[in-house]
Amino acid sequence: MTMETVSTNTAFGGTQGVYRHDSHATGTPMTFSVYVPPHDPGERLPVLWYLSGLTCTHANVTDKGEYRAPCAEHKVIFVAPDTSPRGQGVADDEAYDMGQGAGFYVDATQEPWTPHFRMRSYIEDELPALIAAEFPVADLARQAITGHSMGGHGALTLALRNPDRFRAVSAFAPIVAPSQVPWGQKALGGYLGSDRGSWRQHDAVALIEDGARLPEILVDQGDADQFLDEQLQPERLRAACAAAGIDLTLRMQPGYDHSYYFISTFMADHVAWAAARLHAKDPA
């Protein structure tokens, strides 16, 4: 895979870059951003993935996420992919919650989405291989993941399906049970079809009910979030984790909404959470 550098800037002693490559998974060019903190020559660093929410690109968190200072402090690479394939000939929908900008991190099985909407394969397999080849990554098995809203859904489900790959998992205002809420029902039905059994691999609460396990999860959720009651419903995740014995830290943050003002306020906490687990020594 050939990677094109779109831009680079120095920040907090490291390099913030934006890159583009032709994806085999989506059949389209894909753009992503990577922040590499200052490090010694030859040093390899762990990775924190950030998956964005509906309508976003890599640029939202890159411009507004305020992650570079804590990533530089903790020596963690920060990777921010796009949320969907884009471009001429890529299927789309007039609504913001379907189509371009709303890939939901699944591999579509239904037309017209099947040719390009393969975000699960892209995020789970293709992009990690490219990041490992092009950046000073320590180990593909030493990673952390977080995300916001639709990206929180993606982070939780990706980690639950690949528990040995992620040492830290967190989310900002995630869609925890997409099978049970309007955003998810529309997207999963559109991309995967009417068989709700096939949706369960893309629903964090359903995955936990079906036996998937993580040792611990951090979730921050604003109590003034306009989508809290209808779309997010973190109490479903609380109940599933309690029943499964998963250590969930669910922090309801008073006065915060769904915006990047909320995300940027608690980003340093999520980077520190990830770094503590990424840098921990393996048991002897």
Side-chain angles (χ1 to χ4, degrees):
M1 290 179 285
T2 301
M3 186 182 76
E4 172 193 354
T5 299
V6 177
S7 65
T8 57
N9 297 92
T10 300
F12 296 95
T15 300
Q16 175 63 66
V18 176
Y19 308 92
R20 184 184 298 116
H21 75 116
D22 290 331
S23 167
H24 296 297
T26 67
T28 66
M30 296 294 290
T31 302
F32 59 94
S33 77
V34 180
Y35 177 69
V36 179
H39 59 286
D40 295 330
E43 186 178 9
R44 316 292 288 184
L45 304 176
V47 175
L48 172 59
W49 292 82
Y50 176 91
L51 304 186
S52 294
L54 288 166
T55 76
C56 290
T57 70
H58 70 281
N60 297 76
V61 71
T62 305
D63 294 346
K64 298 182 287 189
E66 299 186 24
Y67 56 82
R68 281 173 283 271
C71 282
E73 176 186 352
H74 295 290
K75 301 186 80 169
V76 172
I77 294 172
F78 190 96
V79 179
D82 202 348
T83 50
S84 75
R86 301 175 190 272
Q88 187 174 3
V90 176
D92 202 4
D93 189 276
E94 292 182 358
Y96 73 94
D97 56 358
M98 193 79 181
Q100 296 187 37
F104 260 80
Y105 305 102
V106 304
D107 283 356
T109 61
Q110 305 298 305
E111 296 293 342
W113 314 107
T114 308
H116 301 293
F117 280 75
R118 297 181 52 79
M119 290 301 295
R120 173 179 178 174
S121 293
Y122 179 68
I123 297 296
E124 209 164 56
D125 300 314
E126 184 179 19
L127 188 57
L130 179 64
I131 296 298
E134 297 288 345
F135 297 94
V137 173
D139 185 353
L140 280 178
R142 182 158 61 120
Q143 299 179 73
I145 193 165
T146 189
H148 171 232
S149 193
M150 178 185 72
H153 139 76
L156 293 175
T157 55
L158 183 62
L160 284 162
R161 290 193 305 262
N162 301 275
D164 294 336
R165 191 159 147 188
F166 295 98
R167 298 194 179 193
V169 182
S170 69
F172 301 88
I175 306 170
V176 302
S179 299
Q180 306 300 320
V181 301
W183 275 342
Q185 290 167 345
K186 177 180 178 179
L188 297 180
Y191 293 135
L192 302 178
S194 60
D195 178 9
R196 285 178 172 254
S198 69
W199 299 6
R200 296 185 71 82
Q201 282 286 307
H202 303 283
D203 182 309
V205 168
L207 281 163
I208 292 169
E209 291 173 348
D210 291 346
R213 295 291 181 266
L214 293 168
E216 54 186 349
I217 302 170
L218 169 65
V219 170
D220 275 308
Q221 171 65 64
D223 72 359
D225 191 317
Q226 61 270 43
F227 304 113
L228 176 59
D229 293 334
E230 183 179 23
Q231 305 285 8
L232 306 178
Q233 302 182 5
E235 66 276 5
R236 291 182 183 272
L237 182 64
R238 190 199 302 273
C241 287
I246 296 173
D247 183 4
L248 172 67
T249 300
L250 174 58
R251 307 193 304 186
M252 298 299 299
Q253 302 292 0
Y256 285 91
D257 60 15
H258 202 67
S259 71
Y260 269 86
Y261 295 107
F262 158 64
I263 297 166
S264 63
T265 299
F266 300 103
M267 180 64 82
D269 290 355
H270 286 244
V271 174
W273 165 276
R277 289 149 183 82
L278 289 165
H279 292 302
K281 294 183 178 180
D282 292 324

